[in-house]
Amino acid sequence: MRQKIFRLIADLRFSIFILLLISFCSIAGTIIEQDQSIEVYKMNYPLTNPVFGFLTWDRILELGLDHVYKTWWFFTLIFLFGLSLVSCTFLQQLPSLKIARRCQFFRTTEQFYRLKISTILNNFSFNKILAQIKFNQYSIFQQKNIIYCYKGLIGRIAPILVHFSMILILFGTIVGSLFGFKAQEIVPKTENFHIQNILNNGQLTVIPKTSARINDFWITYTKNKTVSQFYSDISILNTKGNEIDRKTISVNYPLIYKGIYYYQTDWNLIGLRFQNVNDEILEYPLINVLSNQNKIWLTWISKPSSKTEGILAIMDNLEGYCSLYDETGIFLGNIELNETVNFAGPLTLLEIISSTGLQIKTDPGVPVIYSGFFFLMISTLMSYVTYSQIWIIQKNQKLFIGGTTNRAIFDFELEFFKFIK
């Protein structure tokens, strides 16, 4: 009974069925937003208007469709598919490879009639034929007047390597889902931070206690005043606050420390820092008034003796200046860093306080997945190696010779005709 069960699991039709289920679940995980808040699902999948006639937010949460790749049933499908690959390898592929390595001699001449390529030679040079076969890198085995030859055995290893690579990919997927995490942090310049704002993580994830510091943040612009690149100078700190690693990151160029990736993703302006005539430091918070790509920040600087009189400071970049308007909307000019403006006394702009947006993530399954794809590419190249077999029997002054191959039949026919020419 156990053998029947494993042979059923190793069946190609069962593997295809499980693979189709995994593909269907992956499509569902692509269409439905993953790892979002309940409010997002309530808004996009309301009870009063189900998507596709049946998909509502409560059903999504109940079935785990909001985190498809971390559910027990998705892991079960991956486990079944991996078990099918392992069973097929041990019950079919390895025995097939073992048979291919054996010396499969033909004992009777009747066996040649079952081959698609065979002939009978009356005039022949036995040694020349064997020399030609040897020259074409065949392995030759002989028992008296019976000969068996084969080449391209490495091509029979390719299916086993395919199964091994797919198992690695599946295993890496599970490892990444169980032990990986993704976080998003908005950190002001010169501030220290820990990984706290976790967006999603696996069931067995351990969040590292590593702290870091944003030494500096800046933006470069093109001639057309559009953003060219974001930069953040980051230091990794140990438990005593000492720097152990440092790098300036930008978009697509992260800092990597012990498998943790620090990506540059966003930025923001927090406030303006001024100094008055009494050497007092005054800070005014900046408010982002637009949520689209055209970011604009503003703040109101009022006179000490009046709530209705003041200056409106507006910024839309990080080039080191801001624009000033009075309470009626009249443009007063731009003020740059370390420049002084006369407003209820001299005010000097000391600093534009900015913050950087970082995405912090780790996926320990990525090296395993990359290894799986590497072996998959190797197996693809190996599968192009042709496995060919040739049988020869010398009997009654006649030479019976025939062969077969698993691919490239036309090339094998040309090679065969050269042997008997």
Side-chain angles (χ1 to χ4, degrees):
M1 179 64 69
R2 186 183 305 169
Q3 188 176 7
K4 289 182 179 180
I5 292 176
F6 277 104
R7 290 198 176 276
L8 174 63
I9 294 176
D11 189 81
L12 178 62
R13 291 168 294 183
F14 179 80
S15 299
I16 293 176
F17 175 72
I18 297 297
L19 187 59
L20 288 176
L21 288 180
I22 294 176
S23 302
F24 178 77
C25 296
S26 300
I27 292 173
T30 303
I31 296 175
I32 301 174
E33 301 87 343
Q34 299 292 291
D35 300 307
Q36 300 296 322
S37 62
I38 298 179
E39 288 72 18
V40 172
Y41 297 107
K42 287 183 177 180
M43 182 182 301
N44 296 329
Y45 305 92
L47 297 175
T48 56
N49 187 21
V51 178
F52 303 120
F54 68 94
L55 200 58
T56 57
W57 68 268
D58 58 338
R59 190 165 296 176
I60 290 176
L61 299 180
E62 181 182 356
L63 298 177
L65 297 177
D66 59 324
H67 54 282
V68 170
Y69 309 108
K70 299 176 184 177
T71 56
W72 64 269
W73 45 265
F74 189 77
F75 287 158
T76 301
L77 290 176
I78 292 179
F79 173 77
L80 288 175
F81 187 63
L83 182 62
S84 177
L85 294 175
V86 173
S87 302
C88 180
T89 300
F90 283 96
L91 295 180
Q92 298 180 16
Q93 298 298 337
L94 288 178
S96 176
L97 177 62
K98 187 176 181 180
I99 293 174
R101 294 181 60 189
R102 294 175 181 173
C103 298
Q104 307 173 46
F105 291 104
F106 278 4
R107 301 297 177 181
T108 63
T109 58
E110 287 77 12
Q111 293 175 282
F112 285 88
Y113 297 107
R114 294 196 294 265
L115 298 176
K116 293 183 178 181
I117 303 175
S118 64
T119 188
I120 302 174
L121 301 178
N122 295 314
N123 299 318
F124 57 88
S125 174
F126 192 70
N127 293 332
K128 288 184 178 181
I129 291 178
L130 288 183
Q132 188 71 11
I133 293 175
K134 184 65 177 177
F135 179 76
N136 283 270
Q137 300 180 347
Y138 279 83
S139 299
I140 302 175
F141 304 89
Q142 183 174 5
Q143 288 184 356
K144 296 182 180 180
N145 63 328
I146 302 174
I147 293 178
Y148 170 67
C149 315
Y150 73 81
K151 75 171 181 178
L153 186 62
I154 191 174
R156 302 303 294 264
I157 305 176
I160 300 175
L161 196 59
V162 169
H163 289 182
F164 174 72
S165 61
M166 294 183 70
I167 291 172
L168 278 182
I169 294 172
L170 295 176
F171 179 72
T173 302
I174 294 176
V175 170
S177 299
L178 292 178
F179 297 95
F181 76 90
K182 183 169 66 174
Q184 186 80 25
E185 302 291 343
I186 302 296
V187 187
K189 187 171 63 175
T190 71
E191 294 292 333
N192 295 358
F193 70 95
H194 293 80
I195 303 174
Q196 297 178 343
N197 187 24
I198 308 298
L199 299 180
N200 59 74
N201 61 286
Q203 292 88 334
L204 303 179
T205 299
V206 177
I207 305 300
K209 303 299 181 181
T210 306
S211 63
R213 180 179 64 242
I214 304 299
N215 301 309
D216 198 2
F217 171 75
W218 68 94
I219 300 175
T220 58
Y221 293 87
T222 64
K223 296 180 179 180
N224 298 326
K225 301 299 181 180
T226 58
V227 174
S228 174
Q229 185 61 278
F230 310 97
Y231 297 93
S232 292
D233 186 6
I234 301 180
S235 293
I236 305 297
L237 310 177
N238 59 16
T239 55
K240 297 181 180 180
N242 297 324
E243 182 180 272
I244 53 179
D245 196 5
R246 182 170 181 173
K247 183 180 178 180
T248 299
I249 69 171
S250 57
V251 178
N252 298 326
Y253 296 95
L255 165 65
I256 305 174
Y257 178 75
K258 291 185 176 181
I260 304 174
Y261 289 73
Y262 295 79
Y263 289 95
Q264 178 71 61
T265 57
D266 200 2
W267 66 287
N268 193 19
L269 297 181
I270 299 176
L272 300 178
R273 183 172 292 161
F274 289 89
Q275 183 179 25
N276 61 15
V277 68
N278 298 322
D279 294 333
E280 297 176 341
I281 303 300
L282 304 177
E283 292 186 359
Y284 297 91
L286 286 169
I287 300 174
N288 187 3
V289 295
L290 293 180
S291 59
N292 56 17
Q293 295 181 353
N294 298 321
K295 294 185 176 182
I296 295 179
W297 293 264
L298 58 84
T299 188
W300 174 255
I301 306 174
S302 61
K303 289 184 178 181
S305 59
S306 175
K307 295 182 179 180
T308 58
E309 296 183 4
I311 296 177
L312 183 67
I314 299 179
M315 299 184 62
D316 63 353
N317 56 61
L318 194 57
E319 294 188 274
Y321 71 91
C322 63
S323 301
L324 302 180
Y325 297 82
D326 64 9
E327 61 272 9
T328 62
I330 298 177
F331 178 64
L332 302 178
N334 295 328
I335 180 173
E336 299 182 356
L337 290 174
N338 300 318
E339 187 177 353
T340 302
V341 60
N342 290 319
F343 173 70
L347 280 179
T348 302
L349 179 61
L350 296 181
E351 184 181 1
I352 300 172
I353 307 174
S354 61
S355 63
T356 180
L358 302 177
Q359 184 181 92
I360 307 167
K361 61 184 298 186
T362 182
D363 190 346
V366 168
V368 182
I369 294 175
Y370 284 175
S371 299
F373 279 108
F374 172 76
F375 286 113
L376 189 62
M377 291 186 291
I378 296 297
S379 65
T380 303
L381 297 177
M382 292 172 58
S383 65
Y384 282 97
V385 178
T386 302
Y387 177 68
S388 303
Q389 299 169 280
I390 295 176
W391 292 270
I392 299 175
I393 294 180
Q394 186 178 6
K395 185 177 181 181
N396 299 328
Q397 301 299 320
K398 293 183 179 181
L399 191 71
F400 294 82
I401 180 171
T404 185
T405 186
N406 63 340
R407 64 174 71 247
I409 298 177
F410 180 73
D411 292 336
F412 178 73
E413 290 178 350
L414 294 178
E415 186 179 63
F416 183 81
F417 290 139
K418 289 181 181 179
F419 296 157
I420 65 176
K421 184 177 180 181

